[in-house]
Amino acid sequence: MADFHEVRFPTDVARGARGGPERQTQIVTLASGREVRNSRWAHSRRRYDAGLGVRSFDALAAVVSFFEERRGRLHGFRWRDQLDWKSSPPSREPAATDQIIGIGDGVAAAFQLCKIYGAGPSAYSRAIAKPCEGTVQIALDGVEQPAESFACDTATGRITFAPGSIPPPGATVTAGFAFDVPVRFDVDAIDVDLSAFEAGEIPRIPVVEILP
């Protein structure tokens, strides 16, 4: 991913932010009153407002410093979504059997980390491009594999099995992990009225996901 800095936005500020996934649906109302709906995006995109997590001058100064390092919208960065940051439900720790990421054929050595939302034919598969270093666990047919049998590129979310450890035909490849969301600032200016900030007014600092 070009122009991306592998650093995480201050987590104490992100913890108080607001946001989530968005989609773009085109809706046409026919003469009969019926609707025709079409999804214009194949994948959802997440948006957040980082300003809602700024509660002190120190936090504001940290965000401004981070903004300057990223040169506004120029460079992407990692964001911790406090609701959705691991392969397991929020109440559990990640496990190697959490997410199916592929089926072995005896030849393919590389698999993309992903997270499945829902079940059945309408389930949505989201590619995970920014796993957290040291958190990725892999299993074949439910048996966790040793760490030396695979490598994980934390910049792309790509898993590559070592020679001799390639999944055999029909083997279910699963993974557990923690991850960040690749994002960028959605503005090139942060406008802060310090007197209003002291009075409780929160600056708006929009952040948007960068799709892989």
Side-chain angles (χ1 to χ4, degrees):
M1 191 177 292
D3 298 320
F4 192 91
H5 292 174
E6 294 290 343
V7 294
R8 183 182 294 149
F9 185 86
T11 53
D12 56 334
V13 177
R15 191 175 294 115
R18 179 178 181 176
E22 68 170 355
R23 288 186 174 272
Q24 190 170 98
T25 305
Q26 183 179 46
I27 301 177
V28 177
T29 303
L30 305 178
S32 64
R34 297 183 62 187
E35 290 182 346
V36 176
R37 295 182 295 277
N38 178 57
S39 179
R40 301 185 65 181
W41 293 354
H43 299 284
S44 58
R45 190 180 198 184
R46 282 151 178 78
R47 288 186 179 274
Y48 308 95
D49 187 347
L52 294 170
V54 177
R55 303 299 185 194
S56 68
F57 280 113
D58 285 346
L60 180 58
V63 170
V64 170
S65 177
F66 193 88
F67 177 87
E68 291 283 39
E69 284 186 281
R70 308 288 86 75
R71 307 297 192 268
R73 293 185 295 177
L74 184 60
H75 298 289
F77 53 92
R78 287 173 174 258
W79 173 277
R80 172 58 58 86
D81 185 329
Q82 297 299 320
L83 174 64
D84 190 5
W85 59 274
K86 51 186 175 180
S87 57
S88 60
S91 60
R92 289 200 297 106
E93 292 300 312
T97 55
D98 284 343
Q99 302 291 329
I100 297 175
I101 64 172
I103 302 296
D105 60 6
V107 177
F111 296 82
Q112 177 66 46
L113 288 180
C114 64
K115 183 173 181 179
I116 308 298
Y117 296 79
S122 296
Y124 170 62
S125 178
R126 174 190 180 190
I128 301 299
K130 299 296 177 182
C132 299
E133 187 172 0
T135 69
V136 178
Q137 308 166 59
I138 298 293
L140 298 180
D141 287 335
V143 179
E144 186 169 353
Q145 302 300 294
E148 60 269 19
S149 67
F150 66 91
C152 176
D153 186 342
T154 56
T156 64
R158 197 80 166 159
I159 300 295
T160 304
F161 285 89
S165 300
I166 293 175
T172 300
V173 185
T174 57
F177 46 84
F179 65 95
D180 294 319
V181 183
V183 300
R184 62 168 173 78
F185 287 108
D186 202 26
V187 291
D188 271 327
I190 294 180
D191 185 17
V192 180
D193 181 340
L194 290 181
S195 61
F197 181 76
E198 286 184 311
E201 183 176 315
I202 298 171
R204 182 174 177 272
I205 308 173
V207 173
V208 63
E209 181 178 8
I210 303 169
L211 295 180

